[in-house]
Amino acid sequence: MASNKKYWKSVEELKGSSVVETLTKNEFVSDIPTEDFLGDKETLESSSTTRRDFLKYVGFTTAAASLAACEGPVVKSIPYVVKPNDIMPGVADWYATSIADGFDFANVLIKTREGRPIQIMPNKEANGTTSARVQAAVLSLYDEQLRLKAPTKNGEAISWLDADKEIVQKLNSFKESNTQVVLLTGTMASPSTDKIVGDFITTYPNVKHVVYDAVSEDAAADAFEAVYGRRALPNYKLENAETILSFGADFLGDFHGGFEKAYVSGRKPETGKMSYHVQVESNMSLTGANADKRLVAKPSEVVFALLNLYNEISGTPVASNTTPIDAEIKKLAKVLKKAGSKGVVMTGLNDKNAQLISLEINKILGSEILDVHNSLNIRQGSFEKVQKVVSDMKAGKVGGLLTLNIDPSYTLPNATEFTDALSEVALKVALSVENNQTVAAMEYALPMAHFLESWGDTQFAEGSFGLVQPTIQPLFETRQLQNVLLTWSGSAVDYYDYLKSFWTETILEGSSWNKALHNGFYTKSISASREINSANISISSVAGLLKKSTTTSAMELNLYTKTGLGDGKQANNPWLQEFPDPITRTSWDNYLTMSMADARELGFSNPVKDNGAINGDYAKVSVNGASVVVPVMIQPGQAKGSVGLSLGFGKTFGLKDEMKVGVNAYPLYTGGQNIQYNVAIEKVSGTHKFACTQVQKTIAGRHDILKVTSLKEYNTVAPKDHHNGWNKPAYVSYDHKEVEAKTIDLWDEHNRDMGHHFNLSIDLTSCTGCGACIVACHAENNVPVVGKDEVRVGRDMHWLRIDRYYSSEVETREDAKELGLSTAATYKALETEAENPEVTFQPMMCQHCNHAPCETVCPVAATTHGRQGQNQMTYNRCVGTRYCANNCPYRVRRFNWFKYANNNEFDFNMNNEYGKMVLNPDVVVRARGVMEKCSMCIQMTQATILTAKKEGRPVNTDEFETACSSACTAGAMVFGDVNKKEDEVTALAEDKRAYHVLDYLQTKPNVVYQVKVVNTNEA
């Protein structure tokens, strides 16, 4: 029998706070100051507006304002005199390319309009995936604030010709004196660039190329190199896994670039089988939130648990310590042995010895999931080599330093030491797309082209090649690194010609260059039988070193990267700053995550104000002589005795004031280690104001929001069984009898058999909560960014949100009373659940109800239902009564309180000419005072229909798409026409897992959810 659970979104809600109760009943959390405008009879004369003035305003001003509101702005446009051959006005072009910025790597498709890139989507033919950061990278192209626009020397303009001449002269001088020159770059994963760098070093043998990744995974690369002889990262074929055991590896987040698509492919309940995923971690991560079972442990306990697993698997004990989860580890060892070659162990600890232990366990299992043949070429940096560069600079051993798109003055733990050491370097050249702290400290600042303006290639995995092609002419006076190095090497070859020749000779194997360029990728088969040299490692010595380096302490710190900002490269991107973190639902901030038990002991709290805003106390965090002051966020699921802090925030140089948020945690990143021991936490004065949406617009507490079942129940229990089913239909009382809610209706049905009828299916089993769909919706629909203050009071404009629910086994407080539990016992039970709650993500947008409550209350028919199933908004008819929002049970409508475009109060991308270039011309930029919400991308559905009509054919199967469904690489969102039987969504709408949220209301939505299935390993 499926268990009924209490779903909650915040700790305050779990406690039954009266504030949260009030917020669930109020759509608008801030009162409208009507008294200031209208006055009242008691204080008429003292009010800011007298009755006489009020009548005057009503008689004239309101009418004038209404007329003004009906007038659109005058925009003067210049038409094409001669239309370019390759551009069709009003029709989008798509280009296949790749992104490799040193932290994010993806094969993508770029949508352009009239020569402007406006959206990024995954190139699914190339097995490409996108994250929220990759989706938002198109906006960073138009970052006029940070982009370097022309070459400078010591802050003064210099021509490229003069810069080339001066730098080459100095490079030749260093070559003659054999003085060391360092080329410091991030991971480029580009075979042609590697060849060009090699040729550059041949020309200048005194040059040394060092790779630096701000967030290091060098331990995994070092371990792989030690065992298999190649510096790479192991790949994982999670789609074939039966058992996955992860020790702190956030592989649905940023670990090795993420494995979301492969992971979800192995978790399809309709096949009757799902991988069994167990996560051992201290922070609540995206991966842990999606696990079938989550074991909470301090970072030091995670290390010892890994060693204890090795002892159980190998039967050859090595040095370790006991942990509170050892009993579970013994059980998991048996499960892994049973899975054998279909089992895999993953380790997110950035410690070479821990990675070696993990590789050895997989070797004992004979794991076929660990792929050492098609290894990954990303995250190739070496923290140790970078520190050697810094020490050489201090010692005066480095004559020249060339940096590419990195910012060690911000990201290095010893950033001050690096910046000071620059004074000992004679030639300092920064090649960078954007200005930053390091660029400002260099002699030459040379602007590099954005990847959307560039040619190039990539090799993310051993057999996967990608091509990079420009989708827009360079916006500024920029070059590419490859052309710069070719010029400085004395070559007159243009990089495009070099690239084409290189691919033709070494990669394409006789295949067509034009076809590869069109597709954006080329795949080479990697033989699984090819010989891999495997070194024998003394595991007992490795375990001894690992145990010695692991210090059990009262408080331990886990440094991680957020889904939104990653390593901080795009900190000036407003889409990412306003993106709510999937776990905490907080935007515009980083914070110290702390368990409820530790918070209570140390005196930290997160009070919720009556307008829905959350506050927090400040803590001083000290480790290894470095300290930062950061606000505290109490996080259910955080291990007691541990805290978490994300990197990538606290960047200030060159950023807009609104973007200067959060705290720089890199000073605590000693040794490039994501785990730090002997951490001191001290409460300091002050109150921090979070922009957190977790208690705003919530529909928690309502029935049938989420439905979750186990794989065993899915396979053995009838879903619609009224008493035991896991997908029971809603029942209501009618004529003193219980009947299915869908049999009772206030309205007559319309005939929807003709034409198209759109549905969106959302699989809660496949949705990982990554949020790529949120940014894709922003880009496609010109959703405005409102800023931290407005988000704080519940005025965010996201058309799509992803609700994060925690669940507790105790159903309701009333049920607890029936069971005889006292108030204290009830709260204790709930609190115990909060130590390690189950997590479910639910995308929530306008449900496009066929019997929509919003439509019946709009006095001006601004919101109406279309024949194709979409709930439509007519903006110029809307007068802003907000009745529709009050009547919407899903709380998905957003009121446009302000003018967000061309308004200095909202200085984001809609407020400057470059930022506006990202706007989609197919979607209107809404004016102030209207209600807006998900349109089910009506502009995309109509474009598909018109294209088919123009080509004289019916719409193809599964041809319809929305921005969110296109961006979802996990395949959790499927859009289509239910009147077309061949469309995938048609079968999903009738699937036994299909249900509607709040179905007892019988709004009859066109958004269908699929019950979440978890593998509790009961079979």
Side-chain angles (χ1 to χ4, degrees), residues 288 320 441 759:
S320 184
N759 268 206

Side-chain angles (χ1 to χ4, degrees), residues 317-342:
V318 295
S320 184
N321 287 349
T322 59
T323 76
I325 60 172
D326 282 347
E328 294 287 351
I329 293 297
K330 287 185 178 180
K331 294 178 185 177
L332 288 170
K334 294 178 181 178
V335 174
L336 279 169
K337 284 182 178 179
K338 183 179 178 182
S341 62
K342 298 299 183 182

Side-chain angles (χ1 to χ4, degrees), residues 86-87 92-99 108-121 137-139 141-142 147 449-456 467-475 480 517-518 520 917-918:
D86 54 350
I87 291 179
D93 287 319
W94 288 87
Y95 295 90
T97 187
S98 303
I99 175 176
V108 295
L109 300 176
I110 309 298
K111 180 182 181 180
T112 68
R113 284 296 300 268
E114 286 74 56
R116 296 177 294 111
I118 63 172
Q119 191 165 57
I120 296 177
M121 284 295 171
V138 67
L139 182 56
L141 166 69
Y142 302 114
R147 290 278 315 260
H450 190 271
F451 80 93
L452 292 174
E453 304 168 322
S454 305
W455 288 102
L467 277 168
V468 181
Q469 63 175 315
T471 58
I472 187 174
Q473 289 290 332
L475 297 174
Q480 292 188 228
L517 185 61
H518 171 271
M917 291 175 72
V918 83

Side-chain angles (χ1 to χ4, degrees), residues 715-942:
N715 287 328
T716 60
V717 178
K720 304 295 184 182
D721 186 308
H722 182 27
H723 298 288
N724 302 305
W726 45 266
N727 191 12
K728 295 177 286 188
Y731 281 80
V732 295
S733 178
Y734 179 72
D735 197 18
H736 306 291
K737 296 177 184 177
E738 265 202 337
V739 297
E740 282 195 37
K742 67 180 181 181
T743 64
I744 309 300
D745 214 328
L746 292 176
W747 294 275
D748 293 330
E749 287 289 340
H750 293 287
N751 185 349
R752 297 187 177 90
D753 294 337
M754 294 190 60
H756 305 288
H757 186 191
F758 298 120
N759 268 206
L760 175 66
S761 173
I762 302 176
D763 190 344
L764 299 181
T765 305
S766 298
C767 177
T768 64
C770 72
C773 54
I774 294 177
V775 181
C777 179
H778 255 288
E780 174 67 26
N781 295 295
N782 301 333
V783 177
V785 173
V786 300
K788 182 175 182 178
D789 292 340
E790 294 301 306
V791 172
R792 179 171 163 80
V793 296
R795 291 177 177 170
D796 64 286
M797 296 300 296
H798 292 113
W799 284 13
L800 162 65
R801 69 177 191 265
I802 299 182
D803 290 335
R804 182 269 298 126
Y805 290 103
Y806 301 128
S807 63
S808 306
E809 287 292 347
V810 178
E811 297 178 34
T812 64
R813 285 170 171 75
E814 290 72 20
D815 291 340
K817 288 179 181 178
E818 289 180 9
L819 294 172
L821 296 178
S822 64
T823 303
T826 301
Y827 178 67
K828 184 177 180 181
L830 291 172
E831 186 180 35
T832 300
E833 291 293 332
E835 290 178 4
N836 189 18
E838 295 178 8
V839 184
T840 304
F841 297 102
Q842 183 181 56
M844 180 58 62
M845 70 290 288
C846 175
Q847 301 291 288
H848 296 272
C849 308
N850 289 311
H851 293 166
C854 56
E855 295 169 9
T856 59
V857 296
C858 182
V860 292
T863 180
T864 54
H865 209 70
R867 286 294 303 270
Q868 296 174 345
Q870 290 137 320
N871 178 264
Q872 300 174 350
M873 280 297 307
T874 307
Y875 296 124
N876 63 358
R877 187 181 291 166
C878 178
V879 295
T881 63
R882 305 190 298 283
Y883 295 164
C884 56
N886 290 332
N887 217 40
C888 174
Y890 305 99
R891 310 193 75 175
V892 290
R893 289 175 166 261
R894 303 287 178 264
F895 185 64
N896 215 321
W897 287 99
F898 302 100
K899 176 185 177 184
Y900 299 110
N902 300 315
N903 187 345
N904 290 332
E905 294 296 321
F906 299 93
D907 190 15
F908 305 111
N909 65 293
M910 291 187 183
N911 201 47
N912 67 81
E913 294 307 313
Y914 280 95
K916 290 177 186 176
M917 291 175 72
V918 83
L919 296 178
N920 183 359
D922 292 332
V923 181
V924 66
V925 175
R926 281 75 63 188
R928 177 178 57 185
V930 302
M931 190 65 67
E932 57 181 85
K933 50 93 195 172
C934 164
S935 68
M936 212 174 258
C937 289
I938 190 170
Q939 71 281 358
M940 295 179 68
T941 57
Q942 291 307 300

